[in-house]
Amino acid sequence: MIDVDADGPIRTVTMDRPDARNALTVDGLKTLERAIDDAEEPVIYLRGRGPAFSAGADLNAVAALEGDRDRAAEFARLGQRVARTIEDSPAVVVAGIDGPARGGGLELALACDVRVGTPDSTYGEPGVSFGLFGAWGGTVRLPRVLGEGDALEFALSGRSIDAEEALRIGLISRLEADPRSVAEAIADNATDALAVLKRRLRDDGERSSQERREAEAFADLVAAHADDIDALLE
């Protein structure tokens, strides 16, 4: 259901249920969480097998909740925890999106640091059309990524958008035939700098303390890479 392959500095994590459009069950979410949390590589490339990135929550798993509010809340919290694991990973997580990213699948992509779509990728939060919505942190991250206006229109309409529109509104940052090439380019950089830069860019604390930590991190990296800096000037 979740396939892991390590190749040098990149760990490729593949959601591997192509017949179900890589929909995630409870076990699938827990396995995905471990695959992210156990990574020692500086870059993680998250993808789906076959014609979809991920349809999100397996509707059979949702149906098995049998309308139980407590169980439904627990299922949502599990998805949120996996998304936080992605967001908080010390590795840079790149989502390579080919085909549909829907509901929880889109929300996991939103937790990634970089989202790269192929020309065939599409995006949507269709749950609103049948009385649900993705609850894996999307209501927090979507307005942060798109801005409130675009996030509201996108989520409330339940419509799907193509790759060009996703790029235009900032849902993805790149459009590439081979999204893995972006992960490879990122992995070519200094590992410690990647980790520090991710922490600083992800820091949502108060601005003056952010700037203090940013300056301290910059100073640490300058000290660690003094020889490399000198070589650039030769």
Side-chain angles (χ1 to χ4, degrees):
M1 188 177 294
I2 303 294
D3 181 66
V4 178
D5 179 59
D7 181 14
I10 301 176
R11 169 174 288 212
T12 299
V13 177
T14 303
M15 295 174 282
D16 194 5
R17 292 185 70 204
D19 293 343
R21 298 201 307 165
N22 300 316
L24 290 159
T25 63
V26 168
D27 286 343
L29 283 166
K30 290 178 178 178
T31 306
L32 176 58
E33 181 181 32
R34 287 194 296 273
I36 300 295
D37 200 38
D38 291 346
E40 296 181 355
E41 298 81 4
V43 176
I44 297 171
Y45 180 59
L46 179 64
R47 63 185 291 269
R49 179 89 66 199
F53 177 74
S54 175
D58 187 310
L59 289 182
N60 291 313
V62 177
L65 300 172
E66 298 179 334
D68 186 291
R69 189 180 185 282
D70 291 339
R71 290 172 62 199
E74 182 179 357
F75 184 67
R77 285 193 291 269
L78 173 60
Q80 291 170 354
R81 193 178 77 205
V82 176
R84 286 197 304 272
T85 299
I86 292 171
E87 191 171 65
D88 293 343
S89 171
V92 175
V93 186
V94 179
I97 306 166
D98 189 25
R102 297 286 187 273
L106 175 60
E107 294 184 307
L108 293 179
L110 285 168
C112 294
D113 304 304
V114 180
R115 288 170 295 284
V116 184
T118 71
D120 294 328
S121 61
T122 60
Y123 308 81
E125 285 274 17
V128 68
S129 65
F130 50 90
L132 292 176
F133 69 97
W136 294 353
T139 58
V140 175
R141 294 184 181 91
L142 195 62
R144 185 189 303 165
V145 170
L146 298 187
E148 186 177 272
D150 282 333
L152 282 165
E153 188 280 327
F154 176 68
L156 297 176
S157 69
R159 69 188 181 96
S160 296
I161 63 174
D162 62 18
E164 292 288 349
E165 184 170 359
L167 181 64
R168 179 182 63 78
I169 65 176
L171 190 56
I172 59 176
S173 57
R174 293 276 292 275
L175 193 55
E176 298 285 347
D178 178 15
R180 184 183 168 86
S181 64
V182 177
E184 291 171 349
I186 291 171
D188 281 341
N189 293 304
T191 298
D192 54 353
L194 288 176
V196 169
L197 187 56
K198 171 175 174 170
R199 285 198 301 272
R200 296 286 64 81
L201 290 170
R202 284 291 199 183
D203 193 336
D204 59 359
E206 192 269 332
R207 189 178 69 178
S208 64
S209 59
Q210 282 188 40
E211 291 174 343
R212 174 178 55 78
R213 289 191 293 272
E214 183 179 76
E216 291 170 353
F218 177 73
D220 290 341
L221 290 172
V222 167
H225 292 276
D227 292 340
D228 297 330
I229 294 167
D230 287 341
L232 291 173
L233 299 174
E234 293 177 356

